[in-house]
């Protein structure tokens, strides 16, 4: 290993290419650098690589989405245009080809979501690591700079690395225990890099349930339409002791974060007039909850939600039907950011050139969730991490000082 005496007492290891962060974005950047013949060191703060990637596989690793490119791109909302070249270069088909090349067959499930047949991330990560021709240093936590060298806390104390090129792939600001603690924000900001504040994305919401709900916590609410401002999303979610969470809630979480109210259409397959007809007028001695149960099939947790949020229930059937088609759900705001599936915010697009290189730090590139974009769940998150990782890795491989 080449060493150079630094301006202070420590010596910096002079290396060719450094990737910091061994999540999907960093590993993809390392793959591209190695493929281009660069000598790569990956530094990862945790004792093992890809911890959030492995966590993502626990509930079925949704790698990408099999839909038209323009529909796919539109899911990145405000960041769709900055991400376009990277996603065009590494589109959903390329994600699937890449997984197959690592021996992982994929399939398209419901809603066009693409998963590896194994569903888990571990076989894919294992094959990927075997395929990578790089040196991986775990328990190497980047802690900022010492002069112009990268400084790390390592099992052997503080170490300095001075690479020719670097790709930072440090993740967003949630699930800190898996490594993405967002500590890097301060160090990059000190170097003059513009950073949009982190916000939770794809997160659950607090609900202060009444005691009547206790028996229903843990239950799924299926086949409803979630309404948040202009957005109407068919989906399902779970009632938990903490509030509401799961795919349907995540799909409207950005709109809710931005101030939209949440309402539920509990009977999306029926029009108001059809509901009124089914309700068929009040019969003597029939309780309202019996009518909702027997005539509309609203029982269990769905009926409990009507009682929790819909009371006092309107006496006339038409207004009652309207209430069931737009039941207001009172929540107390997003759950803590650390619980969120992903985060919005991160390194601002203005801080980067078209190669994902930082204007403030020539020869330092960025990739993955640490960039300022967000997307719903559905494979979009990993897809953009792969695409930006590959892009930054290729550009870094070409970089000439
Ligand atoms: C429960 C859960 C389920 C998910 N399911 C899916 C899914 O099915 N599909 C999907 O598309 N997305 C899913 N995601 C999101 C997806 O996992 C992330 O978007 C993705 O892992 C981000 O990749 P990344 O490489 O940018 O960052 P990360 O995966 O967070 O990796 C960043 C790495 O950098 C390391 N690091 C950070 N700081 C330092 C430092 N100072 N020094 C050294 N190393 C450091 C971290 O330890 C970490 O290993 C899920 C997320 C969660 C939490």
């Amino acid at each position: 290993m080449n060493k150079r005496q630094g301006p202070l007492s420590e010596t910096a290891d002079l290396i060719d290419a450094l990737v910091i962060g061994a999540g999907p974005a960093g590993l993809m950047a390392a793959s591209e650098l190695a493929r281009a013949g660069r000598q790569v060191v990956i530094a990862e703060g945790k004792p093992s690589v890809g911890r959030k990637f492995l966590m993502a596989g626990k509930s079925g690793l949704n790698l990408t989405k099999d839909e038209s490119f323009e529909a796919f791109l539109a899911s990145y909302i405000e960041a769709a245009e900055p991400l376009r070249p990277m996603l065009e270069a590494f589109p959903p088909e390329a994600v699937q080809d890449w997984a197959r090349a690592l021996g992982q067959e994929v399939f398209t499930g419901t809603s066009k979501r693409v998963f590896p047949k194994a569903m888990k991330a571990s076989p894919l990560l294992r094959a990927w690591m075997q395929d990578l021709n790089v040196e991986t240093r775990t328990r190497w936590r980047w802690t900022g700079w010492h002069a112009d060298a990268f400084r790390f806390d390592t099992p052997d104390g503080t170490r300095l690395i001075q690479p020719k090129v670097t790709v930072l792939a440090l993740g967003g600001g949630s699930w800190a225990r898996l490594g993405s603690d967002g500590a890097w924000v301060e160090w990059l900001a000190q170097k003059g890099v513009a950073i949009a504040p982190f916000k939770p994305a794809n997160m659950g919401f607090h609900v202060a349930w009444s005691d009547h709900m206790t028996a229903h916590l843990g239950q799924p609410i299926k086949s409803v339409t979630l309404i948040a401002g202009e957005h109407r999303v068919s989906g399902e979610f779970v009632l938990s002791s903490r509030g509401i969470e799961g795919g349907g809630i995540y799909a409207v979480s950005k709109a809710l974060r931005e101030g939209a109210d949440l309402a539920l259409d509990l009977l999306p397959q029926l029009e108001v007039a059809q509901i009124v007809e089914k309700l068929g007028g009040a019969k003597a001695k029939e309780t309202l909850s019996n009518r909702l149960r027997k005539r509309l099939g609203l029982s269990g947790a769905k009926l409990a939600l009507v009682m929790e949020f819909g009371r006092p229930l309107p006496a006339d059937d038409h207004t009652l039907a309207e209430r069931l088609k737009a039941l207001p759900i009172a929540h107390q705001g997003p759950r803590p950011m650390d619980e969120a599936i992903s985060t919005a915010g991160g390194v601002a697009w203005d801080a980067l050139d078209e190669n994902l290189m930082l204007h403030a730090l020539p020869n330092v590139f960025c990739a993955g969730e640490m960039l300022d974009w967000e997307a719903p769940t559905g494979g979009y998150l990993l897809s953009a991490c792969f695409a930006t990782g590959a892009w930054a890795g290729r550009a870094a491989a070409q970089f000439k000082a």
Side-chain angles (χ1 to χ4, degrees), residues 310-323:
R311 287 198 292 186
L313 290 173
D316 80 285
D317 285 356
H318 192 271
T319 317
L320 176 60
E322 286 177 337
R323 179 82 44 94

PDB file of all heavy atoms in Angstrom, residues 310-323:
ATOM      1  N   GLY A 310     -66.364   8.279  12.318  1.00  0.00           N
ATOM      2  CA  GLY A 310     -67.543   8.718  11.566  1.00  0.00           C
ATOM      3  C   GLY A 310     -68.661   9.267  12.436  1.00  0.00           C
ATOM      4  O   GLY A 310     -69.666   9.736  11.926  1.00  0.00           O
ATOM      5  N   ARG A 311     -68.518   9.161  13.760  1.00  0.00           N
ATOM      6  CA  ARG A 311     -69.627   9.558  14.635  1.00  0.00           C
ATOM      7  C   ARG A 311     -69.619  11.054  14.935  1.00  0.00           C
ATOM      8  O   ARG A 311     -68.535  11.644  15.005  1.00  0.00           O
ATOM      9  CB  ARG A 311     -69.553   8.746  15.929  1.00  0.00           C
ATOM     10  CG  ARG A 311     -69.973   7.304  15.650  1.00  0.00           C
ATOM     11  CD  ARG A 311     -70.336   6.557  16.894  1.00  0.00           C
ATOM     12  NE  ARG A 311     -69.154   6.346  17.732  1.00  0.00           N
ATOM     13  CZ  ARG A 311     -69.165   5.610  18.832  1.00  0.00           C
ATOM     14  NH1 ARG A 311     -70.270   5.022  19.227  1.00  0.00           N
ATOM     15  NH2 ARG A 311     -68.078   5.477  19.540  1.00  0.00           N
ATOM     16  N   PRO A 312     -70.784  11.672  15.156  1.00  0.00           N
ATOM     17  CA  PRO A 312     -72.109  11.041  15.106  1.00  0.00           C
ATOM     18  C   PRO A 312     -72.479  10.666  13.668  1.00  0.00           C
ATOM     19  O   PRO A 312     -72.297  11.473  12.750  1.00  0.00           O
ATOM     20  CB  PRO A 312     -73.048  12.124  15.651  1.00  0.00           C
ATOM     21  CG  PRO A 312     -72.329  13.419  15.379  1.00  0.00           C
ATOM     22  CD  PRO A 312     -70.862  13.120  15.467  1.00  0.00           C
ATOM     23  N   LEU A 313     -72.955   9.422  13.508  1.00  0.00           N
ATOM     24  CA  LEU A 313     -73.270   8.961  12.151  1.00  0.00           C
ATOM     25  C   LEU A 313     -74.547   9.638  11.654  1.00  0.00           C
ATOM     26  O   LEU A 313     -75.523   9.757  12.410  1.00  0.00           O
ATOM     27  CB  LEU A 313     -73.435   7.440  12.148  1.00  0.00           C
ATOM     28  CG  LEU A 313     -72.127   6.677  12.365  1.00  0.00           C
ATOM     29  CD1 LEU A 313     -72.392   5.195  12.526  1.00  0.00           C
ATOM     30  CD2 LEU A 313     -71.169   6.921  11.211  1.00  0.00           C
ATOM     31  N   PRO A 314     -74.549  10.096  10.408  1.00  0.00           N
ATOM     32  CA  PRO A 314     -75.723  10.802   9.892  1.00  0.00           C
ATOM     33  C   PRO A 314     -76.959   9.909   9.908  1.00  0.00           C
ATOM     34  O   PRO A 314     -76.867   8.700   9.638  1.00  0.00           O
ATOM     35  CB  PRO A 314     -75.329  11.127   8.446  1.00  0.00           C
ATOM     36  CG  PRO A 314     -73.850  10.953   8.385  1.00  0.00           C
ATOM     37  CD  PRO A 314     -73.473   9.970   9.438  1.00  0.00           C
ATOM     38  N   ALA A 315     -78.098  10.528  10.189  1.00  0.00           N
ATOM     39  CA  ALA A 315     -79.341   9.750  10.274  1.00  0.00           C
ATOM     40  C   ALA A 315     -79.875   9.407   8.885  1.00  0.00           C
ATOM     41  O   ALA A 315     -80.494   8.369   8.685  1.00  0.00           O
ATOM     42  CB  ALA A 315     -80.381  10.530  11.064  1.00  0.00           C
ATOM     43  N   ASP A 316     -79.615  10.300   7.893  1.00  0.00           N
ATOM     44  CA  ASP A 316     -80.194   9.974   6.573  1.00  0.00           C
ATOM     45  C   ASP A 316     -79.197   9.174   5.746  1.00  0.00           C
ATOM     46  O   ASP A 316     -77.968   9.371   5.831  1.00  0.00           O
ATOM     47  CB  ASP A 316     -80.661  11.244   5.848  1.00  0.00           C
ATOM     48  CG  ASP A 316     -79.524  11.976   5.201  1.00  0.00           C
ATOM     49  OD1 ASP A 316     -78.768  12.628   5.949  1.00  0.00           O
ATOM     50  OD2 ASP A 316     -79.368  11.864   3.980  1.00  0.00           O
ATOM     51  N   ASP A 317     -79.736   8.239   4.978  1.00  0.00           N
ATOM     52  CA  ASP A 317     -78.895   7.256   4.284  1.00  0.00           C
ATOM     53  C   ASP A 317     -77.963   7.892   3.263  1.00  0.00           C
ATOM     54  O   ASP A 317     -76.851   7.413   3.052  1.00  0.00           O
ATOM     55  CB  ASP A 317     -79.780   6.205   3.599  1.00  0.00           C
ATOM     56  CG  ASP A 317     -80.362   5.223   4.616  1.00  0.00           C
ATOM     57  OD1 ASP A 317     -80.001   5.344   5.816  1.00  0.00           O
ATOM     58  OD2 ASP A 317     -81.159   4.360   4.215  1.00  0.00           O
ATOM     59  N   HIS A 318     -78.410   8.941   2.621  1.00  0.00           N
ATOM     60  CA  HIS A 318     -77.565   9.553   1.600  1.00  0.00           C
ATOM     61  C   HIS A 318     -76.303  10.152   2.228  1.00  0.00           C
ATOM     62  O   HIS A 318     -75.180   9.914   1.771  1.00  0.00           O
ATOM     63  CB  HIS A 318     -78.349  10.621   0.827  1.00  0.00           C
ATOM     64  CG  HIS A 318     -77.636  11.070  -0.407  1.00  0.00           C
ATOM     65  ND1 HIS A 318     -76.746  12.111  -0.405  1.00  0.00           N
ATOM     66  CD2 HIS A 318     -77.647  10.577  -1.674  1.00  0.00           C
ATOM     67  CE1 HIS A 318     -76.239  12.256  -1.620  1.00  0.00           C
ATOM     68  NE2 HIS A 318     -76.777  11.328  -2.411  1.00  0.00           N
ATOM     69  N   THR A 319     -76.474  10.892   3.306  1.00  0.00           N
ATOM     70  CA  THR A 319     -75.305  11.495   3.971  1.00  0.00           C
ATOM     71  C   THR A 319     -74.429  10.404   4.591  1.00  0.00           C
ATOM     72  O   THR A 319     -73.199  10.494   4.577  1.00  0.00           O
ATOM     73  CB  THR A 319     -75.765  12.505   5.055  1.00  0.00           C
ATOM     74  OG1 THR A 319     -76.833  13.275   4.535  1.00  0.00           O
ATOM     75  CG2 THR A 319     -74.647  13.419   5.476  1.00  0.00           C
ATOM     76  N   LEU A 320     -75.084   9.358   5.089  1.00  0.00           N
ATOM     77  CA  LEU A 320     -74.307   8.235   5.648  1.00  0.00           C
ATOM     78  C   LEU A 320     -73.463   7.583   4.549  1.00  0.00           C
ATOM     79  O   LEU A 320     -72.270   7.306   4.748  1.00  0.00           O
ATOM     80  CB  LEU A 320     -75.271   7.204   6.262  1.00  0.00           C
ATOM     81  CG  LEU A 320     -74.636   5.935   6.807  1.00  0.00           C
ATOM     82  CD1 LEU A 320     -73.639   6.254   7.929  1.00  0.00           C
ATOM     83  CD2 LEU A 320     -75.722   4.968   7.325  1.00  0.00           C
ATOM     84  N   ALA A 321     -74.066   7.383   3.385  1.00  0.00           N
ATOM     85  CA  ALA A 321     -73.323   6.778   2.265  1.00  0.00           C
ATOM     86  C   ALA A 321     -72.131   7.655   1.887  1.00  0.00           C
ATOM     87  O   ALA A 321     -71.024   7.153   1.641  1.00  0.00           O
ATOM     88  CB  ALA A 321     -74.252   6.584   1.077  1.00  0.00           C
ATOM     89  N   GLU A 322     -72.373   8.956   1.851  1.00  0.00           N
ATOM     90  CA  GLU A 322     -71.263   9.885   1.526  1.00  0.00           C
ATOM     91  C   GLU A 322     -70.152   9.789   2.575  1.00  0.00           C
ATOM     92  O   GLU A 322     -68.972   9.825   2.240  1.00  0.00           O
ATOM     93  CB  GLU A 322     -71.788  11.321   1.442  1.00  0.00           C
ATOM     94  CG  GLU A 322     -72.573  11.572   0.180  1.00  0.00           C
ATOM     95  CD  GLU A 322     -73.153  12.983   0.123  1.00  0.00           C
ATOM     96  OE1 GLU A 322     -73.321  13.603   1.194  1.00  0.00           O
ATOM     97  OE2 GLU A 322     -73.444  13.433  -0.988  1.00  0.00           O
ATOM     98  N   ARG A 323     -70.535   9.648   3.841  1.00  0.00           N
ATOM     99  CA  ARG A 323     -69.531   9.528   4.915  1.00  0.00           C
ATOM    100  C   ARG A 323     -68.697   8.253   4.719  1.00  0.00           C
ATOM    101  O   ARG A 323     -67.482   8.271   4.890  1.00  0.00           O
ATOM    102  CB  ARG A 323     -70.265   9.512   6.259  1.00  0.00           C
ATOM    103  CG  ARG A 323     -69.412   9.361   7.508  1.00  0.00           C
ATOM    104  CD  ARG A 323     -68.773  10.645   7.993  1.00  0.00           C
ATOM    105  NE  ARG A 323     -69.618  11.808   7.999  1.00  0.00           N
ATOM    106  CZ  ARG A 323     -70.323  12.261   9.047  1.00  0.00           C
ATOM    107  NH1 ARG A 323     -70.256  11.617  10.191  1.00  0.00           N
ATOM    108  NH2 ARG A 323     -71.053  13.341   8.958  1.00  0.00           N
TER     109      ARG A 323
END
